Amino acid sequence: MLTPTLIEAERLAGDGEVKVKFSRHAQRRAKLYNIPQAVVEKMVADANVPDGEHEIISEVLGFKYPLKIVASRAGEVITVITNYPLKKGL
């Protein structure tokens, strides 16, 4: 299902199917900083976070700074709220 503000991508995670959605803001930040959607999806799937809002910070090859992702999980749906390079360090 596509809506004006969210894009869905179905990903297979360890124990079951998880849907990763991107807010409009997250889509725009990814485009601004040239962050591929697949990189964000992989970081979120690898983090294996429980329900609630979380910050994920990780070094990614090809980026000068670590990437920061703020995501919210509710059941089997993870919504990426924002994503950007963390220029001030850890």
Side-chain angles (χ1 to χ4, degrees), residues 25-38:
H25 176 78
Q27 293 173 34
R28 290 178 176 173
R29 294 305 108 195
K31 185 176 179 182
L32 176 67
Y33 296 114
N34 296 319
I35 303 171
Q37 183 175 341

Side-chain angles (χ1 to χ4, degrees), residues 10-63:
E10 292 183 14
R11 301 302 268 166
L12 190 61
D15 58 342
E17 197 173 292
V18 176
K19 290 185 179 182
V20 180
K21 296 181 178 184
F22 290 80
S23 68
R24 182 182 297 168
H25 176 78
Q27 293 173 34
R28 290 178 176 173
R29 294 305 108 195
K31 185 176 179 182
L32 176 67
Y33 296 114
N34 296 319
I35 303 171
Q37 183 175 341
V39 169
V40 176
E41 290 173 356
K42 183 172 179 358
M43 285 177 63
V44 170
D46 290 348
N48 196 17
V49 294
D51 284 357
E53 191 170 302
H54 304 279
E55 293 181 356
I56 303 164
I57 301 172
S58 180
E59 295 275 343
V60 178
L61 287 175
F63 290 92

Side-chain angles (χ1 to χ4, degrees), residues 50-52 72-79:
D51 284 357
S72 175
R73 181 172 184 160
E76 296 302 315
V77 178
I78 299 174
T79 303

